[in-house]
Amino acid sequence: MDLSQIAEQIKDASENIFLIYAFNSTGKTRLSVEYKETAKNTDGRQTGVYYNAFSEDLFVWDNEHTKLNIVSSSLNQYHSQLNELDVMDKLKPYNPKYDFRFQSHENLEQGFASISFFMKEDEEQHPVKISRGEERIFIWCFFLALIEVDSWTGEQSDYFFIDDPVSSMDDHNIFITAFTLMNLIEKHYERKKIIITTHHIGLATILSDWLSKGEKAGKFKAIRRGEKNKYKISILEKIGDQYELSNPRNSVLLYHLRVLQILDTAIQEDSLEVYHLALLRQVLENIASFLGVGQFQYVLQQIGFTEESGKMADIINALTHQKVYYPQVGVMVPDNKQILIDVYNALMGKYHFVLHN
């Protein structure tokens, strides 16, 4: 199939949630463009909202005046319903070191012209240039705030297509983005089709686990015999000049080894933070799933924590709750740090994973 046929396949599918993993340069962004064209209604109007590399291209740095200019587009008409607090609310979990202000066009109906950034402690608000990673997080949060504008998403209410929102993010921010995407899915999946594509195996694995085996997975699964799940997890593969959406069970995705490498480095460098417990939990859950059991407490028992497995599972559960990804609880206390190290060492001793550098 070509990408237009893939887009048609997704559009016509009964599932409302599509999670698609693909290597870079496979065609994810082009697929989002094809879907946009395929999903247009009969008079050529857009029926949904998308975020991809072209969305990021609407923001261009003016280095001379140290501000981020916004290229005029059809989205500008909705800017008047946004303010700094709306966007900052989405930014908060990412712990930005800066604040910002919007500059509007003289004609307010044309929306925002640019954005200026300044350090939070700078009362005189001298403009600064934020990093590329910070910029991409800001644009993502701007988009998240914008899709809550009813006049935009109300007119284009059929779908969200989100292509790779985690480029240039570190592991901590990828977890935050995963929670953000799950919140978006939970809020809208019954009324809209939601397509998420990514080249990041960690994000794909986390969302896949939450959709299929997480605490809230029941709401996304088929209830009656003969029904389909409300989600579909696929890998976009290019074979010659053709494409296909394959079943991920036909591919080996060794995300757990990458996570163990990250944990090993953090332990060796004494740089453990609370979110590393979430990474450890992912490994425990992956092993539990491989062993055919539903609870990672079973894995704790298998690696030697027989009597205290329940207590340790409770601690890991508590510290990997959603609030852990907010910065005010990012520092790990020594006792919890030791739990992580002990569990990691026991895992490596039991299963002898080989971590290639």
Side-chain angles (χ1 to χ4, degrees):
M1 291 187 287
D2 59 26
L3 287 177
S4 64
Q5 292 171 311
I6 295 285
E8 193 74 38
Q9 177 184 342
I10 297 170
K11 177 178 175 290
D12 294 340
S14 61
E15 296 90 351
N16 258 19
I17 306 164
F18 266 79
L19 174 62
I20 301 172
Y21 171 78
F23 292 115
N24 267 336
S25 302
T26 302
K28 302 184 310 301
T29 301
R30 281 173 286 152
L31 177 60
S32 70
V33 175
E34 290 291 348
Y35 193 91
K36 174 183 174 184
E37 294 302 313
T38 299
K40 283 181 178 178
N41 59 24
T42 53
D43 63 3
R45 295 186 53 152
Q46 295 298 325
T47 60
V49 171
Y50 71 94
Y51 172 89
N52 60 17
F54 296 112
S55 306
E56 296 178 2
D57 289 344
L58 295 176
F59 298 79
V60 180
W61 271 105
D62 177 352
N63 291 323
E64 181 180 354
H65 301 98
T66 319
K67 61 181 180 178
L68 191 62
N69 289 333
I70 301 178
V71 179
S72 292
S73 70
S74 60
L75 298 182
N76 286 51
Q77 62 185 301
Y78 305 110
H79 289 178
S80 61
Q81 299 179 57
L82 281 184
N83 58 48
E84 286 87 351
L85 291 177
D86 295 324
V87 179
M88 184 55 77
D89 182 61
K90 305 300 181 186
L91 272 171
K92 182 181 176 183
Y94 294 95
N95 192 25
K97 297 178 175 61
Y98 58 82
D99 209 334
F100 62 92
R101 61 178 180 273
F102 295 129
Q103 289 85 38
S104 299
H105 288 282
E106 289 186 12
N107 180 354
L108 297 180
E109 293 182 357
Q110 295 179 334
F112 302 135
S114 62
I115 309 151
S116 294
F117 299 88
F118 51 91
M119 303 310 292
K120 288 185 175 181
E121 66 274 11
D122 183 3
E123 295 182 0
E124 297 184 9
Q125 298 186 359
H126 296 98
V128 297
K129 184 172 182 178
I130 59 177
S131 71
R132 178 60 174 158
E134 290 173 321
E135 177 190 339
R136 298 193 77 161
I137 289 173
F138 177 86
I139 295 170
W140 166 239
C141 291
F142 184 94
F143 171 84
L144 285 175
L146 196 59
I147 65 175
E148 293 187 353
V149 173
D150 290 337
S151 59
W152 180 31
T153 53
E155 292 175 3
Q156 299 172 191
S157 59
D158 284 357
Y159 69 88
F160 292 143
F161 197 118
I162 298 171
D163 173 38
D164 246 349
V166 297
S167 298
S168 303
M169 290 188 191
D170 61 23
D171 293 291
H172 181 51
N173 286 332
I174 286 168
F175 270 98
I176 294 172
T177 305
F179 274 116
T180 301
L181 289 168
M182 279 303 298
N183 288 337
L184 189 73
I185 289 170
E186 286 186 70
K187 185 175 181 180
H188 296 285
Y189 80 96
E190 292 182 311
R191 300 180 301 280
K192 302 176 189 288
K193 191 178 285 284
I194 301 171
I195 307 106
I196 299 169
T197 61
T198 182
H199 79 284
H200 194 283
I201 187 62
L203 179 68
T205 304
I206 293 166
L207 291 176
S208 173
D209 284 349
W210 287 346
L211 286 169
S212 60
K213 297 176 290 188
E215 295 177 358
K216 300 179 181 179
K219 66 173 66 176
F220 307 122
K221 292 186 176 181
I223 300 175
R224 301 176 183 84
R225 185 184 299 273
E227 290 184 347
K228 289 186 176 181
N229 292 333
K230 297 178 177 67
Y231 66 89
K232 186 173 181 63
I233 300 166
S234 304
I235 297 176
L236 178 65
E237 295 184 297
K238 187 175 183 181
I239 305 171
D241 59 353
Q242 296 294 300
Y243 297 84
E244 70 175 21
L245 289 178
S246 64
N247 189 321
R249 285 177 295 184
N250 296 329
S251 300
V252 179
L253 304 177
L254 299 179
Y255 174 59
H256 65 286
L257 291 183
R258 175 59 184 147
V259 171
L260 287 169
Q261 287 177 333
I262 293 169
L263 290 172
D264 184 70
T265 299
I267 291 170
Q268 297 301 322
E269 296 177 352
D270 193 23
S271 59
L272 287 169
E273 295 185 26
V274 175
Y275 80 89
H276 285 106
L277 272 170
L279 295 177
L280 178 66
R281 175 175 176 159
Q282 283 292 310
V283 175
L284 292 170
E285 289 180 337
N286 286 350
I287 295 173
S289 177
F290 178 80
L291 295 174
V293 295
Q295 301 293 328
F296 67 81
Q297 182 179 339
Y298 175 82
V299 180
L300 293 174
Q301 295 170 347
Q302 294 300 301
I303 62 177
F305 299 98
T306 307
E307 296 181 0
E308 64 269 50
S309 64
K311 178 182 177 181
M312 294 182 71
D314 288 341
I315 291 172
I316 294 172
N317 271 323
L319 291 174
T320 53
H321 187 267
Q322 180 173 351
K323 67 183 180 182
V324 76
Y325 298 106
Y326 283 72
Q328 59 265 31
V329 289
V331 177
M332 190 183 298
V333 299
D335 287 349
N336 294 336
K337 183 185 294 186
Q338 193 59 52
I339 287 175
L340 186 150
I341 293 171
D342 290 344
V343 172
Y344 172 84
N345 288 336
L347 274 175
M348 300 300 291
K350 172 73 174 180
Y351 297 112
H352 305 290
F353 295 111
V354 178
L355 307 183
H356 297 289
N357 294 325

